[in-house]
Amino acid sequence: MKKWHKITLEFAGPNVSEQDNYNPFINYKLNVLFTHSKTKATYLVPGYFAADGNAENTSADSGNKWRVHFSPDEIGLWNWKASFIKGNYVAVAKTNKTGLSAGFMDGQSGSFEVNATDKRGPDFRAYGRLQYVNKPYLRFADQGGYFIKAGPDSPENLLSYADFDGGFKNDGFKDNLVKT
């Protein structure tokens, strides 16, 4: 595991469906607290219901996989501890003092060692995550340079061309535009 690289923790939790009346997206809350062993830097990272763990390929809407992603900003030993609670609308509650233990991964803990990144050049993991610094542009956390985005983004509808992103999208322009 390396600095600035995504680290994913996957847990086996309750077998639920996004179609359930007791919806996993609002009635369960997974948080993982990551703490650096020396600097004591801490991050509370929310997790999510990941269905069967491969829903992007299977289109599954049920399963027992729960995930959290973390991108460490320091090398060294990181400790983690999971909190998994359940209750009506607990995921959107304004306080963390609600809900009951949902069992499964609640209270589990562990640690992992993070080494320096091996990325160079245009790979953003060489520069660190982007941070808002109260200026017009985001700044890289490690290298300090600013990220200046250029281009129209997706969907590529700048010229109302039919073959960008799989088809022409009506973007409010009148029909008298020249379409190529």
Side-chain angles (χ1 to χ4, degrees):
M1 291 180 237
K2 296 180 171 66
K3 182 178 178 181
W4 302 121
H5 294 229
K6 179 174 73 172
I7 295 171
T8 301
L9 298 181
E10 183 174 274
F11 301 97
N15 196 348
V16 294
S17 169
E18 63 187 47
Q19 306 301 322
D20 289 348
N21 286 334
Y22 197 75
N23 188 287
F25 293 108
I26 58 174
N27 296 314
Y28 290 93
K29 185 183 218 177
L30 170 63
N31 282 326
V32 177
L33 181 66
F34 293 91
T35 307
H36 191 272
S37 64
K38 289 189 179 165
T39 66
K40 304 301 180 201
T42 61
Y43 295 97
L44 185 62
V45 181
Y48 62 94
F49 171 60
D52 67 352
N54 193 25
E56 66 272 17
N57 295 313
T58 65
S59 298
D61 65 1
S62 64
N64 72 337
K65 303 299 182 209
W66 299 76
R67 289 187 182 146
V68 65
H69 303 289
F70 177 60
S71 178
D73 59 354
E74 297 184 54
I75 61 172
L77 183 68
W78 284 88
N79 300 304
W80 61 268
K81 184 169 184 176
S83 166
F84 187 56
I85 57 176
K86 65 181 178 179
N88 289 331
Y89 301 100
V90 72
V92 294
K94 293 184 180 187
T95 178
N96 283 330
K97 297 178 178 164
T98 186
L100 302 169
S101 173
F104 297 93
M105 70 290 274
D106 189 38
Q108 284 186 15
S109 61
S111 60
F112 52 84
E113 187 75 29
V114 172
N115 298 307
T117 185
D118 59 353
K119 300 302 176 190
R120 303 284 177 258
D123 191 315
F124 279 5
R125 291 171 293 183
Y127 306 111
R129 77 173 59 96
L130 293 171
Q131 297 177 319
Y132 177 71
V133 291
N134 206 21
K135 301 220 181 216
Y137 300 106
L138 300 173
R139 186 175 70 196
F140 289 105
D142 233 14
Q143 303 297 324
Y146 287 92
F147 174 71
I148 300 174
K149 173 75 173 95
D153 263 350
S154 183
E156 301 290 351
N157 208 15
L158 177 67
L159 303 174
S160 297
Y161 181 60
D163 290 333
F164 287 138
D165 276 355
F168 178 73
K169 293 158 184 79
N170 185 355
D171 57 4
F173 286 102
K174 303 282 185 221
D175 283 341
N176 60 358
L177 287 176
V178 175
K179 297 177 186 135
T180 58

